[in-house]
Amino acid sequence: MSYVDEVIERVTRENSNEPEFLQAVNEVLESLRPVIEANEAKFKRDALLERLVNPERQFKFRVPWVDDKGNVQVNTGYRVQFNSAIGPYKGGIRLHPSVNIGIIKFLGFEQIFKNSLTGLPIGGGKGGSDFDPKGKSDREVMAFCQSFMTELSKYIGPDQDVPAGDIGTGAREIGYMFGQYKRIRGQFEGVLTGKGLNYGGSLARTEATGYGLLYITEEMLKSHNIDISGKTAVVSGSGNVAIYAIEKAHQLGAKVLTASDSTGWVYDPDGIDVEALKEIKEVNRARLTEYKKYRPNSEYHEGKGVWQIKADIALPCATQNELDIEDAKTLVANGVIAVAEGANMPTTEEATKYLIENGIFFLPGKAANAGGVATSALEMSQNSERRSWSFEKVDSNLQNIMATLYHNIDDAAKRYGFEGNYVVGANIAGFEKVVDAMNAQGIV
Ligand code: NDP
């Protein structure tokens, strides 16, 4: 049995109740086969893969808080510090009822390679809780965030572990968490990113993941002599990533036809009105059913369905495994040119394989959505030097990072004979730097 197969078998045995984590490990190790086989004896002797797939440490903790009726609620909090070979742990906090240790581990594992791909000195981590901010009052959200941070503050720090936002954790939640950290530790420091602009946040961080997704998609298309301007796109989600992906797509001359949330989706043949979307989601925290009030010509449908709308580009920006094999077949039949993942692992393994086999340009999330964490690292730089950069400076750094990232994954794929396969390219390019650092630091 090859070393990769041995490790996959062991990880599967030891984590059998964590399907998302197994899916992520499987996808990464399968595509790393050519690199691992070229160094099999050394990697095996050093148990390199066993160390890579085991987090350096993980925390699970109780989060008690009092709701508006005076009842005590208890949620579970997690932080997984996966790999610090190239820098302090960095990765968001997900607040969603579906959160469990397997989901946090899958996200933390992916984060190692994503952070490496940004070219910036950040290691991989992730955290979260099964708390659902939806439908809670501001006071309840604050009570939860304060309790969550009271425990988390023991394990994080600006040179140790720097969490950020993710699903369910936006500017409001980061603000409450930062306030509590400062109160407990007595230090005003860059321990979280995604902060408000008046207390250490970076301009362009809010936009960064969505903008970065479009910058890398544009770069990839350009390298294949395709102009993004004039193209149509379908987007899923209507949160932070989706909103700014739509905004940048429109600025680049493309037209986005759809958006969705966890209850339904909208089709707007005239192009999604991003200002309306911001008001519905960022200001009113309402459902997409409201969209029709702004755009009477649009259609609202319950359930999932954005992938059935014919378009040149598909941008899944909601959550994991939201684009399956049937969706992939529909996209291919409708003549899609490119799929770029704004969310983490939104495309199932089967769907990814189908898209690549059918010649679709496919950019995996760990490359395509790396603009968010890259800009978080720029926020850390600004906090360290106690200065704020202009929007233009951050945005032009982001553009350079995404363009360089694209060429790095393209080159890595070519070097190993997988030209055009950006899944393989991203995994190899991300892995090489981390492994080099792990080797240099000895058996730790
Ligand atoms: P938000 O919470 O702002 O938005 C998430 C969107 O996805 C909402 O429209 C939400 O609908 C929808 N959604 C969430 N869960 C589900 C589900 N189970 N089924 C259907 N729809 C769902 O999160 P973000 O935009 O920040 O994150 C979206 C994705 O991008 C995630 O995979 C995240 O990990 C990834 N990502 C985010 C980064 C960032 O900087 N924010 C950076 C890199 C990756 P509803 O409002 O109804 O819940």
Side-chain angles (χ1 to χ4, degrees):
M1 195 189 276
S2 76
Y3 178 42
V4 170
D5 290 323
E6 260 176 44
V7 174
I8 289 180
E9 197 212 65
R10 181 167 166 189
V11 177
T12 308
R13 192 164 16 94
E14 291 176 353
N15 304 273
S16 58
N17 53 353
E18 297 173 4
E20 292 86 0
F21 176 57
L22 293 179
Q23 183 182 340
V25 170
N26 211 56
E27 184 252 302
V28 169
L29 295 192
E30 282 297 341
S31 65
L32 289 175
R33 267 183 203 278
V35 192
I36 294 163
E37 276 159 15
N39 300 278
E40 177 138 344
K42 176 173 170 38
F43 284 180
K44 190 167 172 172
R45 190 194 63 213
D46 292 347
L48 191 109
L49 294 182
E50 288 88 336
R51 286 189 286 140
L52 195 69
V53 299
N54 270 298
E56 289 176 18
R57 69 191 65 76
Q58 61 194 48
F59 304 99
K60 178 179 179 194
F61 47 93
R62 181 172 76 203
V63 189
W65 55 280
V66 181
D67 69 18
D68 285 347
K69 297 194 181 92
N71 296 321
V72 177
Q73 303 290 338
V74 180
N75 288 99
T76 305
Y78 304 93
R79 186 74 187 164
V80 174
Q81 297 181 334
F82 226 115
N83 190 302
S84 62
I86 63 169
Y89 311 102
K90 182 97 199 79
I93 292 172
R94 178 171 292 193
L95 301 181
H96 193 273
S98 63
V99 164
N100 57 43
I101 188 63
I103 292 203
I104 299 299
K105 278 172 65 185
F106 123 63
L107 290 163
F109 184 67
E110 288 280 298
Q111 197 84 41
I112 304 170
F113 306 99
K114 180 191 308 196
N115 292 2
S116 166
L117 286 173
T118 65
L120 300 166
I122 37 180
K126 197 82 189 186
S129 171
D130 57 359
F131 173 77
D132 187 358
K134 244 185 257 154
K136 305 285 191 305
S137 70
D138 279 354
R139 197 211 58 80
E140 288 177 323
V141 170
M142 182 174 74
F144 167 82
C145 290
Q146 291 183 338
S147 181
F148 182 80
M149 184 49 87
T150 300
E151 186 61 26
L152 187 67
S153 64
K154 297 169 188 164
Y155 319 116
I156 61 174
D159 294 315
Q160 185 182 1
D161 183 355
V162 184
D166 189 70
I167 291 180
T169 306
R172 174 181 62 171
E173 291 75 16
I174 291 288
Y176 292 146
M177 288 182 196
F178 183 75
Q180 184 71 354
Y181 177 88
K182 189 161 55 74
R183 183 186 191 193
I184 292 173
R185 298 281 284 258
Q187 270 165 337
F188 192 112
E189 53 190 9
V191 69
L192 290 165
T193 56
K195 298 186 292 297
L197 293 179
N198 290 330
Y199 62 94
S202 173
L203 285 162
R205 173 61 188 93
T206 306
E207 294 85 351
T209 309
Y211 278 22
L213 174 67
L214 269 295
Y215 291 145
I216 193 170
T217 304
E218 184 190 28
E219 188 71 19
M220 174 187 69
L221 291 175
K222 202 166 68 184
S223 79
H224 293 282
N225 298 316
I226 301 170
D227 191 352
I228 194 167
S229 173
K231 297 287 178 293
T232 52
V234 276
V235 168
S236 65
S238 51
N240 174 261
V241 179
I243 287 175
Y244 293 96
I246 297 171
E247 182 167 281
K248 184 52 73 178
H250 286 169
Q251 286 171 10
L252 296 177
K255 181 158 90 170
V256 178
L257 303 171
T258 64
S260 68
D261 64 16
S262 51
T263 41
W265 58 285
V266 291
Y267 168 57
D268 189 338
D270 302 324
I272 293 288
D273 179 346
V274 82
E275 293 311 316
L277 208 56
K278 284 184 189 175
E279 192 167 306
I280 296 166
K281 288 292 175 183
E282 294 183 338
V283 181
N284 301 335
R285 297 180 187 275
R287 313 305 304 160
L288 269 185
T289 38
E290 300 290 302
Y291 186 80
K292 217 172 161 46
K293 289 187 193 151
Y294 296 80
R295 304 278 275 199
N297 276 347
S298 67
E299 294 170 16
Y300 175 81
H301 301 272
E302 293 283 321
K304 86 171 237 191
V306 298
W307 313 125
Q308 57 189 265
I309 300 296
K310 186 174 163 54
D312 303 311
I313 301 166
L315 304 171
C317 297
T319 194
Q320 63 272 4
N321 293 327
E322 51 159 318
L323 196 164
D324 62 21
I325 181 69
E326 293 312 317
D327 301 321
K329 286 182 181 165
T330 308
L331 287 171
V332 170
N334 282 341
V336 77
I337 304 168
V339 176
E341 296 185 321
N344 285 312
M345 211 169 73
T347 317
T348 64
E349 270 178 296
E350 208 185 0
T352 304
K353 197 160 168 275
Y354 185 83
L355 290 168
I356 294 173
E357 279 170 4
N358 280 276
I360 310 305
F361 301 127
F362 181 86
L363 281 172
K366 65 171 73 68
N369 68 36
V373 73
T375 308
S376 275
L378 300 179
E379 183 174 330
M380 289 165 72
S381 299
Q382 294 170 72
N383 292 163
S384 296
E385 62 177 51
R386 302 201 185 283
R387 300 185 70 123
S388 300
W389 301 351
S390 66
F391 187 96
E392 290 68 29
K393 178 169 174 177
V394 180
D395 191 41
S396 80
N397 267 275
L398 173 64
Q399 287 182 49
N400 286 335
I401 289 168
M402 297 314 289
T404 307
L405 198 165
Y406 168 71
H407 292 290
N408 285 344
I409 66 173
D410 187 40
D411 288 349
K414 284 180 184 150
R415 258 191 288 129
Y416 283 89
F418 289 87
E419 181 162 358
N421 186 328
Y422 305 120
V423 172
V424 173
N427 285 331
I428 292 178
F431 174 80
E432 283 179 333
K433 183 174 164 190
V434 173
V435 162
D436 198 49
M438 284 174 76
N439 281 332
Q441 292 169 26
I443 305 303
V444 291

